[in-house]
């Protein structure tokens, strides 16, 4: 009995180890996207965005959005905010353009493009993303 239990425990430990080494990265289900500290609000109604990340990750390829990942860095997913910090809304790698530039991988860019192809993707500023608190 005790031997069986020990065997069970060590097999479980081996399984957990195998799973965690294969899944070297995690895929968060929800991500709250907030402006970096000191970054100017462009409009009074701008609120943090609750992003259904898992919902997207099962429908799209990781690299559709994580555009700086290469085969070498794949598995070390870094937040967009690590690079997209600039306060200037016209800066190419600024905070604003990461989410709003006209094409993917920006949120609005991808949604607008898919809308034009008949998708149902939400595009309203306050109805889709910046929901008032
Ligand atoms: C629709 C675009 C999109 C897709 C598809 C996507 N992600 Fe993300 N991911 C994001 C955004 C946006 C964030 C939040 C970045 C931020 O907060 O600056 C994020 C955050 C993450 C984070 C957290 C980074 C951190 O340390 O905060 C991980 C890990 C991650 N994604 C992995 C994945 C993996 C793995 C896949 C594919 C299975 C994937 N993502 C697919 C857009 C996407
Ligand atoms: C390692 C740094 C880095 C990370 C991480 C990163 N980006 Fe970028 N991104 C850049 C740079 C630099 C540019 C400028 C053009 C280029 O080099 O591709 C850019 C350009 C863009 C553009 C085009 C902007 C425009 O108006 O032309 C979008 C949209 C974008 N990134 C979205 C994202 C999103 C969304 C994420 C996270 C899922 C992300 N980026 C993660 C560095 C990064
Ligand atoms: C590369 C394309 C792409 C990007 C980038 C993208 N989305 Fe989406 N988004 C989708 C698709 C596809 C759907 C599902 C549309 C449908 O069901 O017809 C969706 C749906 C949604 C929904 C509705 C979810 C639901 O439950 O119906 C929200 C909210 C959303 N996206 C927010 C965001 C935010 C915030 C970002 C940026 C951080 C983002 N999306 C970036 C493709 C994208």
């Amino acid at each position: 009995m005790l031997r069986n239990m020990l065997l069970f425990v060590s097999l479980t430990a081996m399984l957990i180890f195998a799973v965690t080494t294969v899944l070297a990265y995690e895929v968060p289900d929800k991500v709250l996207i907030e402006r970096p500290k000191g970054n100017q609000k462009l409009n009074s109604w701008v609120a943090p965005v609750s992003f259904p990340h898992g919902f997207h990750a099962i429908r799209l390829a990781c690299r559709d959005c994580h555009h700086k990942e290469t085969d070498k860095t794949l598995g070390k997913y870094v937040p967009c905010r690590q690079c997209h910090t600039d306060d200037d809304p016209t800066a190419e790698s600024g905070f604003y353009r990461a989410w709003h530039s006209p094409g993917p991988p920006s949120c609005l860019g991808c949604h607008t493009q898919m809308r034009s192809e008949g998708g149902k993707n939400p595009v309203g500023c306050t109805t889709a993303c910046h929901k008032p608190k």
Side-chain angles (χ1 to χ4, degrees):
M1 179 64 190
L2 185 64
R3 261 192 71 202
N4 281 347
M5 263 180 72
L6 282 176
L7 187 67
F8 177 74
V9 168
S10 53
L11 280 178
T12 313
M14 273 165 69
L15 188 70
I16 290 171
F17 180 69
V19 168
T20 47
T21 37
V22 171
L23 296 176
Y25 54 80
E26 51 180 288
V27 185
D29 186 37
K30 286 257 190 286
V31 178
L32 188 69
I33 302 175
E34 293 177 279
R35 273 175 300 124
K37 279 203 173 63
N39 194 309
Q40 288 295 316
K41 227 185 193 188
L42 294 179
N43 281 297
S44 58
W45 45 260
V46 173
V49 173
S50 171
F51 172 48
H53 181 267
F55 175 96
H56 288 78
I58 56 169
R59 286 171 170 78
L60 302 157
C62 312
R63 268 189 277 189
D64 284 355
C65 301
H66 294 277
H67 69 110
K68 290 293 180 188
E69 301 294 336
T70 66
D71 288 335
K72 276 194 185 142
T73 62
L74 210 61
K76 294 192 198 99
Y77 287 87
V78 289
C80 324
R81 280 174 284 185
Q82 182 164 311
C83 303
H84 291 275
T85 51
D86 198 320
D87 199 3
D88 180 356
T90 62
E92 193 182 22
S93 60
F95 184 71
Y96 178 82
R97 294 242 317 236
W99 324 114
H100 304 95
S101 80
S106 99
C107 318
L108 187 59
C110 181
H111 281 210
T112 311
Q113 192 179 75
M114 290 195 153
R115 264 290 180 108
S116 70
E117 291 160 3
K120 291 193 179 70
N121 306 55
V123 290
C125 310
T126 50
T127 49
C129 295
H130 304 285
K131 295 196 172 129
K133 272 187 259 177

